Amino acid sequence: MTTTLRPVEPLQQHTDGTRSRRYQVCVNSRPVGEIHLGTSPALGESVARVVDLWIAEPDRRRGRGTVAALAAEEVVRGWGCTQIEIHVPASADPALRLFGTLGYTLRNRGMEKRLGTAPPELPPGSGARPMTEAEFEAWLEYESERYARSWIERGLSEAAARAKAENDHEQRLPHGLATDGMVFSVLEHEGARVGILWLALLDDEAYVFDVETDAARRGRGHGRTLMLLAERQAIEAGRPVLGLNVFAGNGPAERLYESLGYETRTHCLAKPLL
């Protein structure tokens, strides 16, 4: 039997610069499912993504999804893509196993925590204040470089990584420190600065975009205090859920978030296209 992909629409060019196309998954010309491919709005045209893959129940567990995913790699190579990704819900074990066997590896996880109604207290000696404009400018220069480097380490070209860093900060912080819904705080302990927090107050949740303990102050529990500060600010702003992203391999951060009760909601898996 031969499994192939049959286009069901023309190649779509979207206003955000991405492209996409839907295909039927066929076995000997018989439709058995669908796959939707696109390019990443966050990472640029060199990174493809499997938006959705569905195989009809009678044809599952026969390798149809595996062959379809491999055929998809050939399609997006033809688009000029050098990497492919997929976002998989944490509960979707069959999909995690399927893409794991195809060489996809975990790049990052989306985590979240449902918050209570009582803001947590910070440890004695710890307190927070708003970030100053001068501190913000210094942080933005440092963070832009660090953010770009983190994506270069994960397979993006330097040009694409730097473009992502610039675009993301422009979109999220159009008015800099004064951008609505963005809260920048400096954590102090016994009068000395020990770290920073960037918290976004979204419509139905809060989201930690950046949390970092100053290098000379690490290993003293300030990272946990910063996360308690994030929970406190979210609860005070009436947001019931706090979300964040953690890159694979950042063991200390993963252990911290799990110890605080954060649960994985999505896995982002990626694979280079050689």
Side-chain angles (χ1 to χ4, degrees), residues 33 47-48 79-80 91 97 105 110 125-127 139 208 220 233 235 257:
V47 180
W79 294 358
S91 59
R97 289 194 298 270
T105 57
S126 294
W139 167 85
V208 175
R220 305 179 192 180
Q233 292 177 343
I235 291 170
Y257 302 145

Side-chain angles (χ1 to χ4, degrees), residues 159-177:
R162 295 195 180 283
K164 176 173 172 57
E166 181 178 354
N167 292 338
D168 282 359
H169 287 120
E170 285 181 353
Q171 290 178 9
R172 292 169 181 162
L173 301 169
H175 304 294
L177 187 61

